[in-house]
């Protein structure tokens, strides 16, 4: 009986881990509110356009985010509130993902939903901040093992029961790492 209880608790824990909800609130902040470590790191990119800074709050964490469109790509550079780099996300097209990873992602999503529509795809870089900067600055990309690459995909998923927005994270090979349902904030508009 004890083994059965342990198995049931484990199943519930892991299903909860893969099935979390995501709620975020994001708002602009002035450059004065940006931690100096974050500001210093973003300046190393030599962006020729103005960087916009945001504070992002979720149910449990807060972060600081730098956003810029540069070289025809949208960058999102996220830091914790002390200025420690969390990740860099660059918006890409689905076709920029390797074909084997595309196939694995499509298979995983087809198993989950009756239909789905990809809304936003980002290549996510995390790990050693110096190596990430070096990798993104190189003409010929040579990946250091200290840099981890994943894909973050926002999609609209339809099942017989509902239609919801989700955020999925996949490995570079297309293996599912995490999924969260996106909880949209309530508006002040009353519906009759």
């Amino acid at each position: 009986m004890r083994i059965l209880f342990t198995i049931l608790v484990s199943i519930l824990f892991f299903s909860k881990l893969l099935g979390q909800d995501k709620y975020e609130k994001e708002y602009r902040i002035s450059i004065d509110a940006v931690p100096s470590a974050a500001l210093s790191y973003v300046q190393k990119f030599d962006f020729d356009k103005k960087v916009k800074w945001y504070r992002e709050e979720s149910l449990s964490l807060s972060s600081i985010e730098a956003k810029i469109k540069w070289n025809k790509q949208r960058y999102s550079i996220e830091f914790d509130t002390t200025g420690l780099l969390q990740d860099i996300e660059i918006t890409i097209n689905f076709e920029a993902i390797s074909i084997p990873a595309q196939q694995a992602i499509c298979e995983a999503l087809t198993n989950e939903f009756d239909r789905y529509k990809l809304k936003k795809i980002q290549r996510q870089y995390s790990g050693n901040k110096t190596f990430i900067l070096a990798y993104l600055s190189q003409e010929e990309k040579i990946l250091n093992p200290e840099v981890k690459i994943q894909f973050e995909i926002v999609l609209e998923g339809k099942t017989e029961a509902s239609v919801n927005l989700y955020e999925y994270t996949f490995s570079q090979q297309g293996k599912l790492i995490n999924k969260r349902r996106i909880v949209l904030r309530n508006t002040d508009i009353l519906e009759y």
Side-chain angles (χ1 to χ4, degrees), residues 57 68 71 76-77 94 140 167 171 186:
E57 296 178 2
I68 186 167
N71 287 342
S76 172
I77 306 171
F94 191 65
E140 293 183 35
E167 178 185 271
S171 71
N186 291 335

Side-chain angles (χ1 to χ4, degrees), residues 53-126:
W53 291 94
Y54 296 85
R55 183 173 183 96
E56 187 177 279
E57 296 178 2
S58 68
L59 295 173
S60 59
L61 298 172
S62 292
S63 62
I64 304 296
E65 199 167 359
K67 293 186 178 187
I68 186 167
K69 186 174 181 182
W70 187 59
N71 287 342
K72 299 180 182 179
Q73 293 182 307
R74 294 188 186 279
Y75 282 69
S76 172
I77 306 171
E78 191 169 1
F79 302 90
D80 69 11
T81 54
T82 67
L84 181 67
L85 180 69
Q86 291 180 331
D87 60 50
I88 297 177
E89 297 172 338
I90 301 173
T91 303
I92 61 170
N93 293 321
F94 191 65
E95 294 74 27
I97 299 173
S98 72
I99 293 193
Q102 283 181 33
Q103 291 170 340
I105 291 169
C106 287
E107 183 178 329
L109 296 177
T110 301
N111 289 337
E112 284 285 319
F113 303 106
D114 297 329
R115 291 187 329 186
Y116 62 89
K117 182 177 182 181
L118 304 179
K119 298 285 190 177
K120 183 179 183 183
I121 303 162
Q122 295 177 309
R123 183 175 282 125
Q124 183 184 75
Y125 301 89
S126 60

